Amino acid sequence: MRRLKSYMAMLMALVIAITSINIPSLAVYAQDVDEGQAQLATASDAVTVGEGITRVDISVAGEGKRLRFTPTESCGYEFYSTADVDTYATLYDAYGDELISDDDSGEDNNFRIRYKLTAGETYELEVRYFSDSKTGSFDVYIGQMPEL
């Protein structure tokens, strides 16, 4: 019995030691558009994209899609949508801090964001329909701007 207690004490010490190890995890905190409260969005929620046009499918009304982008040059970049209905976007830095958002600066009630980005830093663009009841698909363009 004494030996069993000794093994149990060692096991408990081992469990405490293992659980107290600080293992970093990758996560991005995002603004919950509907409730205005921060929520955890794991890195797997975002799709990595490059410059050019990306097709975004919104299959659940009210949801947004995250596009992860890492610029190759430090300069101004432009993000905009081409949809038949009103779109909205928010640009976040690598820490999940909101940098800028836009509703109607583009053509036909589409979003357009122009922002100076730093090469090698990762950014996320959350895009959605402005209406919480809309589903469908639209294109998002990401590209460099000559000057900002």
Side-chain angles (χ1 to χ4, degrees), residues 5-18:
K5 286 183 181 180
S6 175
Y7 287 132
M8 292 298 288
M10 289 188 324
L11 180 62
M12 292 292 285
L14 181 62
V15 168
I16 290 170
I18 290 173

PDB file of all heavy atoms in Angstrom, residues 5-18:
ATOM      1  N   LYS A   5       0.936   4.345  -2.836  1.00  0.00           N
ATOM      2  CA  LYS A   5       0.830   5.766  -2.518  1.00  0.00           C
ATOM      3  C   LYS A   5       2.021   6.531  -3.087  1.00  0.00           C
ATOM      4  O   LYS A   5       1.885   7.647  -3.582  1.00  0.00           O
ATOM      5  CB  LYS A   5       0.740   5.973  -1.012  1.00  0.00           C
ATOM      6  CG  LYS A   5      -0.592   5.597  -0.426  1.00  0.00           C
ATOM      7  CD  LYS A   5      -0.632   5.888   1.049  1.00  0.00           C
ATOM      8  CE  LYS A   5      -1.956   5.480   1.656  1.00  0.00           C
ATOM      9  NZ  LYS A   5      -2.003   5.753   3.087  1.00  0.00           N
ATOM     10  N   SER A   6       3.179   5.919  -3.018  1.00  0.00           N
ATOM     11  CA  SER A   6       4.385   6.555  -3.557  1.00  0.00           C
ATOM     12  C   SER A   6       4.265   6.725  -5.069  1.00  0.00           C
ATOM     13  O   SER A   6       4.598   7.782  -5.613  1.00  0.00           O
ATOM     14  CB  SER A   6       5.607   5.713  -3.202  1.00  0.00           C
ATOM     15  OG  SER A   6       6.755   6.249  -3.799  1.00  0.00           O
ATOM     16  N   TYR A   7       3.795   5.683  -5.772  1.00  0.00           N
ATOM     17  CA  TYR A   7       3.602   5.773  -7.221  1.00  0.00           C
ATOM     18  C   TYR A   7       2.542   6.814  -7.576  1.00  0.00           C
ATOM     19  O   TYR A   7       2.688   7.546  -8.552  1.00  0.00           O
ATOM     20  CB  TYR A   7       3.202   4.417  -7.809  1.00  0.00           C
ATOM     21  CG  TYR A   7       4.341   3.431  -7.870  1.00  0.00           C
ATOM     22  CD1 TYR A   7       4.175   2.140  -7.400  1.00  0.00           C
ATOM     23  CD2 TYR A   7       5.579   3.778  -8.408  1.00  0.00           C
ATOM     24  CE1 TYR A   7       5.202   1.223  -7.454  1.00  0.00           C
ATOM     25  CE2 TYR A   7       6.616   2.871  -8.466  1.00  0.00           C
ATOM     26  CZ  TYR A   7       6.433   1.584  -7.985  1.00  0.00           C
ATOM     27  OH  TYR A   7       7.439   0.690  -8.047  1.00  0.00           O
ATOM     28  N   MET A   8       1.485   6.869  -6.799  1.00  0.00           N
ATOM     29  CA  MET A   8       0.423   7.847  -7.055  1.00  0.00           C
ATOM     30  C   MET A   8       0.955   9.270  -6.879  1.00  0.00           C
ATOM     31  O   MET A   8       0.638  10.163  -7.658  1.00  0.00           O
ATOM     32  CB  MET A   8      -0.781   7.611  -6.133  1.00  0.00           C
ATOM     33  CG  MET A   8      -1.537   6.325  -6.430  1.00  0.00           C
ATOM     34  SD  MET A   8      -2.230   6.305  -8.080  1.00  0.00           S
ATOM     35  CE  MET A   8      -3.530   7.476  -7.905  1.00  0.00           C
ATOM     36  N   ALA A   9       1.770   9.486  -5.875  1.00  0.00           N
ATOM     37  CA  ALA A   9       2.346  10.812  -5.642  1.00  0.00           C
ATOM     38  C   ALA A   9       3.264  11.207  -6.797  1.00  0.00           C
ATOM     39  O   ALA A   9       3.250  12.355  -7.264  1.00  0.00           O
ATOM     40  CB  ALA A   9       3.105  10.830  -4.318  1.00  0.00           C
ATOM     41  N   MET A  10       4.062  10.262  -7.284  1.00  0.00           N
ATOM     42  CA  MET A  10       4.943  10.541  -8.424  1.00  0.00           C
ATOM     43  C   MET A  10       4.127  10.828  -9.683  1.00  0.00           C
ATOM     44  O   MET A  10       4.458  11.713 -10.464  1.00  0.00           O
ATOM     45  CB  MET A  10       5.908   9.370  -8.658  1.00  0.00           C
ATOM     46  CG  MET A  10       6.979   9.265  -7.585  1.00  0.00           C
ATOM     47  SD  MET A  10       8.302   8.068  -7.895  1.00  0.00           S
ATOM     48  CE  MET A  10       7.539   6.720  -8.695  1.00  0.00           C
ATOM     49  N   LEU A  11       3.063  10.068  -9.882  1.00  0.00           N
ATOM     50  CA  LEU A  11       2.203  10.279 -11.032  1.00  0.00           C
ATOM     51  C   LEU A  11       1.556  11.660 -10.993  1.00  0.00           C
ATOM     52  O   LEU A  11       1.513  12.376 -11.993  1.00  0.00           O
ATOM     53  CB  LEU A  11       1.128   9.183 -11.114  1.00  0.00           C
ATOM     54  CG  LEU A  11       0.152   9.300 -12.280  1.00  0.00           C
ATOM     55  CD1 LEU A  11       0.888   9.197 -13.607  1.00  0.00           C
ATOM     56  CD2 LEU A  11      -0.905   8.228 -12.175  1.00  0.00           C
ATOM     57  N   MET A  12       1.089  12.055  -9.816  1.00  0.00           N
ATOM     58  CA  MET A  12       0.475  13.382  -9.659  1.00  0.00           C
ATOM     59  C   MET A  12       1.495  14.483  -9.937  1.00  0.00           C
ATOM     60  O   MET A  12       1.188  15.479 -10.599  1.00  0.00           O
ATOM     61  CB  MET A  12      -0.112  13.544  -8.258  1.00  0.00           C
ATOM     62  CG  MET A  12      -1.318  12.654  -7.997  1.00  0.00           C
ATOM     63  SD  MET A  12      -2.720  13.155  -8.971  1.00  0.00           S
ATOM     64  CE  MET A  12      -3.210  14.580  -8.079  1.00  0.00           C
ATOM     65  N   ALA A  13       2.716  14.320  -9.450  1.00  0.00           N
ATOM     66  CA  ALA A  13       3.765  15.312  -9.685  1.00  0.00           C
ATOM     67  C   ALA A  13       4.079  15.414 -11.173  1.00  0.00           C
ATOM     68  O   ALA A  13       4.288  16.502 -11.715  1.00  0.00           O
ATOM     69  CB  ALA A  13       5.017  14.954  -8.891  1.00  0.00           C
ATOM     70  N   LEU A  14       4.100  14.274 -11.859  1.00  0.00           N
ATOM     71  CA  LEU A  14       4.358  14.266 -13.289  1.00  0.00           C
ATOM     72  C   LEU A  14       3.238  14.965 -14.059  1.00  0.00           C
ATOM     73  O   LEU A  14       3.492  15.758 -14.971  1.00  0.00           O
ATOM     74  CB  LEU A  14       4.508  12.822 -13.786  1.00  0.00           C
ATOM     75  CG  LEU A  14       4.801  12.640 -15.267  1.00  0.00           C
ATOM     76  CD1 LEU A  14       6.127  13.298 -15.640  1.00  0.00           C
ATOM     77  CD2 LEU A  14       4.810  11.178 -15.630  1.00  0.00           C
ATOM     78  N   VAL A  15       2.002  14.703 -13.700  1.00  0.00           N
ATOM     79  CA  VAL A  15       0.856  15.353 -14.348  1.00  0.00           C
ATOM     80  C   VAL A  15       0.919  16.866 -14.143  1.00  0.00           C
ATOM     81  O   VAL A  15       0.717  17.642 -15.083  1.00  0.00           O
ATOM     82  CB  VAL A  15      -0.476  14.775 -13.829  1.00  0.00           C
ATOM     83  CG1 VAL A  15      -1.651  15.624 -14.269  1.00  0.00           C
ATOM     84  CG2 VAL A  15      -0.643  13.337 -14.298  1.00  0.00           C
ATOM     85  N   ILE A  16       1.219  17.291 -12.947  1.00  0.00           N
ATOM     86  CA  ILE A  16       1.309  18.728 -12.666  1.00  0.00           C
ATOM     87  C   ILE A  16       2.440  19.349 -13.472  1.00  0.00           C
ATOM     88  O   ILE A  16       2.291  20.427 -14.050  1.00  0.00           O
ATOM     89  CB  ILE A  16       1.491  18.970 -11.153  1.00  0.00           C
ATOM     90  CG1 ILE A  16       0.197  18.606 -10.421  1.00  0.00           C
ATOM     91  CG2 ILE A  16       1.882  20.428 -10.876  1.00  0.00           C
ATOM     92  CD1 ILE A  16       0.333  18.571  -8.916  1.00  0.00           C
ATOM     93  N   ALA A  17       3.563  18.687 -13.558  1.00  0.00           N
ATOM     94  CA  ALA A  17       4.710  19.207 -14.310  1.00  0.00           C
ATOM     95  C   ALA A  17       4.380  19.329 -15.793  1.00  0.00           C
ATOM     96  O   ALA A  17       4.696  20.329 -16.443  1.00  0.00           O
ATOM     97  CB  ALA A  17       5.934  18.316 -14.109  1.00  0.00           C
ATOM     98  N   ILE A  18       3.734  18.323 -16.346  1.00  0.00           N
ATOM     99  CA  ILE A  18       3.414  18.341 -17.772  1.00  0.00           C
ATOM    100  C   ILE A  18       2.376  19.412 -18.092  1.00  0.00           C
ATOM    101  O   ILE A  18       2.497  20.133 -19.077  1.00  0.00           O
ATOM    102  CB  ILE A  18       2.933  16.948 -18.244  1.00  0.00           C
ATOM    103  CG1 ILE A  18       4.117  15.976 -18.230  1.00  0.00           C
ATOM    104  CG2 ILE A  18       2.311  17.020 -19.632  1.00  0.00           C
ATOM    105  CD1 ILE A  18       3.743  14.546 -18.518  1.00  0.00           C
TER     106      ILE A  18
END
